Amino acid sequence: MADKNKTENKNENKDKRGKRLIRQIDRTFVPENTLALWHLGQESMVVKGSGMIAYIDPYLSNSIDEQFGNSPRNFETPISPELIGHADLVLITHDHPDHLDPVTVRAMAIASPHATWICPAPVVPQLAELGIVPDALIGARAGDMIDFRDMRITPIAGKHEEFKTDENGNHLFLGYVIELNGVKLYHAGDTIGYEGLVEALRPHRIDIACMPINGRDWKRYQDNLMGNMNFREAADLGVAIGADLLVPMHYDLFAFNTENPSYFVDYVHHTYPHQKFKLFAPGERLMYAAEESDEELELGDEE
């Protein structure tokens, strides 16, 4: 019995969820030129660096299934949103409910009242209706850089099957290039590849590219499920922009709109054998340290 209890305690300590995961995020020390990342499922991520904690597209409830049915989560949320009292910034890529979840937004608005929220400019009214005060809201426009404390954010237009804009030409689907603590991360949101995307991203010299791989097809489109890049397109895009590390997303949470990540692994392994990638378990942490640039290496050789 004692040995069994020891094994259970050991497994429990390894399983970072809920308050344990919150404590890990709070206590994680992030050195210079480093980012700490946690993947929470679907496209939900936590980013920490320079003393800041940012959440991206947090879907941390079961609200879609509760509202529409036939949409249960494949795994429990690693964090309940009412526990998140440490968020400095929340980024929303678009208004679909697995990215802008009303239940999560309302709970985080109460738990992290000091947080700033960034979303596509046309989506600002929706967040305001969910309790985000105007002073905490920033409407993002593709190509217009946003400086938030030590973070620089460049919104990138997303083409979620198609481009969608409001009457002022502001895109409803965005990705974000985030520059923080010497690391550059691209969170694509929901998008397919399109002409000009590589050219928009390559100058940023992306370190980490987080991209959907669930793809698209006629049946899902008929069911009003807008599509994304597939595993080949995501890998090809990541390599084309020169990303150091590729992170696939949007393949794990809903049985009706998923993909087998082993296809991504197999394709990268055989097509780009030197390309680094990372598959996350829900709630898993990654510490990413930016590599020295060619200029820094050459300077070091001269010294």
Side-chain angles (χ1 to χ4, degrees):
M1 180 66 70
D3 290 341
K4 180 181 179 182
N5 288 338
K6 183 182 289 186
T7 301
E8 288 176 349
N9 290 336
K10 184 177 180 181
N11 290 335
E12 184 179 20
N13 289 334
K14 285 184 176 181
D15 185 14
K16 294 290 194 301
R17 289 190 292 175
K19 292 180 180 179
R20 289 187 179 88
L21 183 50
I22 291 290
R23 284 198 298 269
Q24 184 188 64
I25 295 171
D26 286 335
R27 295 175 181 177
T28 294
F29 171 72
V30 185
E32 287 188 30
N33 298 315
T34 303
L35 279 186
L37 305 176
W38 290 261
H39 191 249
L40 307 180
Q42 195 73 339
E43 290 193 358
S44 304
M45 299 194 75
V46 186
V47 179
K48 183 176 183 180
S50 295
M52 286 194 298
I53 297 172
Y55 282 74
I56 308 172
D57 280 357
Y59 177 69
L60 304 176
S61 74
N62 196 34
S63 64
I64 296 177
D65 186 54
E66 291 169 358
Q67 182 175 358
F68 301 106
N70 300 317
S71 307
R73 301 175 60 102
N74 287 332
F75 50 85
E76 293 181 6
T77 175
I79 308 175
S80 296
E82 61 269 13
L83 297 177
I84 302 172
H86 58 204
D88 298 296
L89 178 67
V90 185
L91 294 123
I92 303 294
T93 63
H94 61 288
D95 66 353
H96 290 167
D98 55 330
H99 301 262
L100 194 170
D101 171 27
V103 172
T104 298
V105 171
R106 289 192 184 100
M108 289 184 67
I110 295 170
S112 289
H114 63 282
T116 295
W117 295 68
I118 295 176
C119 66
V123 179
V124 165
Q126 292 173 246
L127 285 180
E129 289 178 3
L130 293 172
I132 309 302
V133 300
D135 289 346
L137 267 171
I138 298 175
R141 295 171 175 82
D144 289 353
M145 196 176 300
I146 299 169
D147 286 321
F148 175 76
R149 289 166 51 178
D150 293 330
M151 182 186 292
R152 174 163 290 179
I153 302 156
T154 303
I156 304 292
K159 189 176 184 181
H160 199 4
E161 293 273 7
E162 58 187 23
F163 290 120
K164 189 174 181 181
T165 60
D166 66 8
E167 64 276 9
N168 297 313
N170 296 314
H171 285 268
L172 275 74
F173 308 132
L174 293 175
Y176 298 105
V177 174
I178 299 168
E179 301 178 41
L180 178 64
N181 204 30
V183 180
K184 298 178 180 179
L185 178 145
Y186 170 54
H187 188 290
D190 278 359
T191 190
I192 62 175
Y194 59 85
E195 186 175 353
L197 182 56
V198 170
E199 292 74 16
L201 291 171
R202 190 182 288 147
H204 291 281
R205 303 180 70 175
I206 302 295
D207 294 300
I208 308 168
C210 306
M211 300 167 292
I213 65 166
N214 61 304
R216 56 201 180 278
D217 55 55
W218 175 83
K219 183 180 185 303
R220 282 184 286 181
Y221 188 78
Q222 293 302 306
D223 292 336
N224 202 33
L225 296 174
M226 309 301 288
N228 293 313
M229 291 180 275
N230 61 31
F231 63 89
R232 291 188 184 90
E233 293 167 326
D236 292 342
L237 175 65
V239 171
I241 64 176
D244 181 50
L245 180 71
L246 307 184
V247 177
M249 306 186 297
H250 211 309
Y251 62 83
D252 56 350
L253 193 56
F254 299 111
F256 64 85
N257 191 11
T258 187
E259 182 56 277
N260 186 337
S262 66
Y263 299 156
F264 175 85
V265 173
D266 183 74
Y267 182 70
V268 173
H269 173 69
H270 287 97
T271 311
Y272 306 110
H274 299 290
Q275 176 64 54
K276 291 182 284 185
F277 62 89
K278 170 64 179 175
L279 294 182
F280 280 84
E284 182 182 2
R285 179 184 65 186
L286 171 70
M287 300 294 291
Y288 176 90
E291 296 184 356
E292 293 180 293
S293 67
D294 292 340
E295 292 83 357
E296 289 170 330
L297 290 172
E298 290 173 2
L299 181 60
D301 292 340
E302 291 174 2
E303 294 175 347

